[in-house]
Amino acid sequence: MASILQRRAAAAARRLLLFLPPGPAAARWRSSWALPASLVRWGGLVGGRWVETPAVFPVQDPASGEELGRVADCGVAEAREAVRAAHDAGAAWGRLPAKERSVRLRRWYELMVENKDELARIITAENGKPLKEAQGEILYSASFLEWFAEEARRVYGDIIPASAKDRRMLVLKQPVGVSAIITPWNFPSAMITRKVGAALAAGCTVVVKPAEDTPLSALALGELANQAGIPAGVYNVVPCSRQQTSAVGEVLCTDPLVAKISFTGSTATGKILLKHAAGTVKRVSMELGGHAPFIVFDSANVDCAVAGALASKYRNSGQTCVCTNRFLVQKGIHDKFVENFAKAIERELRVGSGFDENTTQGPLINEKAVEKVERHINDAVSQGASIVTGGKRHSLGKNFFEPTLLTNVTTKMLCTQEETFGPLAPVIKFDTEAEAVAIANAADVGLAGYFYSQDPAQIWRVAEQLEVGMVGVNEGIISSAECPFGGVKQSGLGREGSKYGIDEYLEIKYVCFGGL
């Protein structure tokens, strides 16, 4: 074991600097690409300790393909150890006065803000998104800790009028217990705090399994949690490779000590986790796949609709669960919208390294993601769609892809039937409001939906008829810590953020006090 630790220490020292892409720009990028040694951790976090494992797995920069470093590959044993640590810490954390939990969460929030630039560099390094977007994610991520630090002090019960003179009836809200938190790579910080903030505020402890592509953000949050005074065992992290993911996920979903599962990811994976959780009837929150429609009616302000479309579609290179996946544009405004949208794409969007200040579009996360975008474009073109702009891999190579706009799209094409998760905007022309709503609601998922209109009556009708959990009216960016995030149909169960988010981590207990 000593030799393993010595090798890992030597490797960690080498990893304080990121590998640089080849070429003359390397020297210029060196300072930007340095990983912040104060926050980068390579082991799992279990019971307040940084845990080494004999096996490790690589974390890669999606822009260059270079290896950033190697992280502890936690398996079944480490997952069970983390669950036990969370369980052992749970009683004390749950009994802590709400005000004290609030103070610790608030301090964690403050440390995130103080270290926002370092945390953003970690995100850009492992996820690829532009640094400005990464900085925005950190502030968004921190906002959930701030919000739930405040909500921790507002978990109220009830007094119920008694049915008999000698009784008093009351309702208590208590923490559900150990919560397994399974998060995706596209928002490697915010998807953690949106869940963990609520869990810790309610008095629960957590075991976080981050995506194998982006474990460094979860581990950096762990370092700041330790600094904020979050007790050992309250926040645990078990990073693992793709090969270990299935086994670790099964442990987190079946261990009898785990009371709650919160997952963000694909609908297919969510269904597998639900089956695992059914055996012990665990509480479950699921934020699953989306297929967001973006409807532009004839009455819309075209310039506003184009600005909203650009933001909604191409943020994080189209790799968000609430990104627009289908544009539905009414025939009277269709040609003008497409023309202006194409000009905006070519004028506003710049593909490149996330560390380049001019970049608005970073790489896709991996080759598999690029191949899916290509498959959707090829299928659409083969059925008659036209490429207005983009349509192919970018000259930078690797995982970079040109922002793409398609017209003459029909509902028979893959890009209108599946979530692309990339920089592809397919436009469908429609005639009537009823037709647009029918197309929008034809999906078996319903996370977010957007539409642009200046007709007040139409706004009310369509907002109420869209079968989604969140609607943006004349707005392309809708997420906020104060508002409930979640979907309907096969887009998931439960809500995150807002005053409703903490309820996902609370049990309701009725107490009848008799003989008075």
Side-chain angles (χ1 to χ4, degrees):
M1 179 60 75
S3 62
I4 291 174
L5 293 177
Q6 289 169 353
R7 290 198 301 271
R8 292 295 306 282
R14 293 194 298 272
R15 290 192 295 259
L16 294 182
L17 290 178
L18 293 178
F19 290 90
L20 297 176
R28 175 173 60 85
W29 286 355
R30 183 172 298 277
S31 62
S32 295
W33 280 54
L35 281 171
S38 61
L39 293 179
V40 172
R41 297 293 178 268
W42 306 99
L45 179 59
V46 177
R49 299 177 295 106
W50 294 106
V51 177
E52 306 287 341
T53 58
V56 294
F57 69 97
V59 180
Q60 295 178 321
D61 167 23
S64 66
E66 297 286 352
E67 185 177 301
L68 307 180
R70 299 197 170 199
V71 174
D73 193 3
C74 295
V76 168
E78 290 79 16
R80 293 199 185 283
E81 184 183 355
V83 169
R84 171 59 65 180
H87 181 265
D88 291 346
W93 179 251
R95 287 196 302 266
L96 206 64
K99 183 178 180 179
E100 183 59 30
R101 292 199 300 272
S102 174
V103 168
R104 307 281 179 97
L105 283 169
R106 177 76 190 187
R107 180 55 185 152
W108 197 5
Y109 154 76
E110 291 169 349
L111 287 171
M112 283 195 70
V113 174
E114 290 171 15
N115 291 273
K116 64 181 184 298
D117 292 335
E118 291 80 4
L119 292 168
R121 277 161 50 202
I122 292 174
I123 288 179
T124 296
E126 63 180 352
N127 169 279
K129 69 175 60 177
L131 191 59
K132 289 181 181 178
E133 281 194 25
Q135 291 166 339
E137 179 182 342
I138 292 302
L139 294 178
Y140 176 58
S141 177
S143 74
F144 288 104
L145 296 183
E146 179 186 35
W147 172 261
F148 285 114
E150 296 163 351
E151 288 298 287
R153 301 177 67 179
R154 291 191 277 269
V155 177
Y156 302 123
D158 284 301
I159 301 295
I160 300 172
S163 56
K165 288 190 293 185
D166 63 344
R167 295 181 181 180
R168 295 297 180 268
M169 299 173 177
L170 59 148
V171 173
L172 307 178
K173 291 185 179 180
Q174 297 179 315
V176 67
V178 176
S179 301
I181 308 295
I182 304 175
T183 56
W185 50 263
N186 59 336
F187 286 91
S189 180
M191 295 303 94
I192 292 175
T193 57
R194 194 164 71 189
K195 301 171 187 293
V196 170
L200 268 59
C204 299
T205 56
V206 300
V207 178
V208 177
K209 194 210 83 63
E212 62 272 11
D213 296 296
T214 56
L216 300 182
S217 292
L219 297 169
L221 287 175
E223 172 58 30
L224 293 181
N226 288 345
Q227 294 180 25
I230 303 296
V234 172
Y235 178 87
N236 305 274
V237 185
V238 285
C240 66
S241 63
R242 185 169 279 106
Q243 292 73 25
Q244 292 274 29
T245 291
S246 178
V248 169
E250 185 171 349
V251 167
L252 297 180
C253 291
T254 59
D255 192 303
L257 295 181
V258 175
K260 160 81 180 183
I261 300 163
S262 181
F263 169 71
T264 295
S266 72
T267 298
T269 300
K271 290 177 179 179
I272 294 171
L273 300 182
L274 282 169
K275 289 179 180 178
H276 286 320
T280 46
V281 195
K282 300 188 189 304
R283 286 277 296 274
V284 176
S285 298
M286 295 273 159
E287 193 263 282
L288 306 177
H291 192 36
F294 188 110
I295 306 171
V296 184
F297 291 104
D298 281 344
S299 68
N301 180 307
V302 175
D303 291 338
C304 291
V306 166
L310 206 65
S312 176
K313 174 68 259 183
Y314 293 108
R315 183 168 56 116
N316 197 17
S317 298
Q319 301 174 112
T320 88
C321 54
V322 293
C323 269
T324 297
N325 210 63
R326 303 167 288 159
F327 286 90
L328 312 177
V329 184
Q330 199 159 14
K331 63 180 181 181
I333 205 171
H334 173 274
D335 292 352
K336 184 177 181 181
F337 174 84
V338 169
E339 179 184 0
N340 289 7
F341 195 15
K343 289 179 180 177
I345 291 170
E346 294 168 354
R347 182 180 66 247
E348 303 291 340
L349 303 184
R350 296 289 179 272
V351 177
S353 163
F355 287 106
D356 187 328
E357 64 180 10
N358 294 319
T359 293
T360 64
Q361 302 288 284
L364 300 189
I365 191 66
N366 52 37
E367 172 68 18
K368 185 178 179 181
V370 176
E371 290 174 354
K372 186 173 186 181
V373 176
E374 286 182 321
R375 185 169 69 253
H376 280 191
I377 292 173
N378 292 337
D379 171 78
V381 171
S382 72
Q383 296 188 60
S386 302
I387 298 174
V388 180
T389 187
K392 62 183 184 298
R393 295 188 187 223
H394 195 274
S395 58
L396 288 173
K398 297 291 183 185
N399 298 323
F400 292 97
F401 204 93
E402 295 178 347
T404 300
L405 176 62
L406 300 180
T407 57
N408 300 320
V409 174
T410 72
T411 57
K412 295 181 179 180
M413 298 172 184
L414 280 178
C415 60
T416 66
Q417 298 173 357
E418 301 176 352
E419 186 178 26
T420 302
F421 231 65
L424 170 60
V427 179
I428 301 169
K429 184 188 294 187
F430 71 90
D431 290 325
T432 67
E433 176 185 311
E435 179 188 359
V437 172
I439 294 172
N441 289 343
D444 59 7
V445 293
L447 188 57
Y450 310 87
F451 70 93
Y452 277 69
S453 170
Q454 298 298 309
D455 180 341
Q458 183 178 62
I459 287 172
W460 279 112
R461 285 195 306 271
V462 175
E464 292 176 349
Q465 291 172 17
L466 285 179
E467 295 172 357
V468 295
M470 299 171 286
V471 179
V473 182
N474 297 326
E475 180 57 63
I477 301 293
I478 58 176
S479 299
S480 170
E482 296 83 2
C483 300
F485 191 103
V488 300
K489 299 198 266 191
Q490 294 188 38
S491 280
L493 303 166
R495 292 295 182 269
E496 295 182 339
S498 79
K499 68 177 184 179
Y500 305 105
I502 199 168
D503 290 336
E504 301 288 335
Y505 298 89
L506 292 167
E507 294 282 18
I508 292 177
K509 179 183 287 184
Y510 157 54
V511 178
C512 180
F513 191 180
L516 299 178

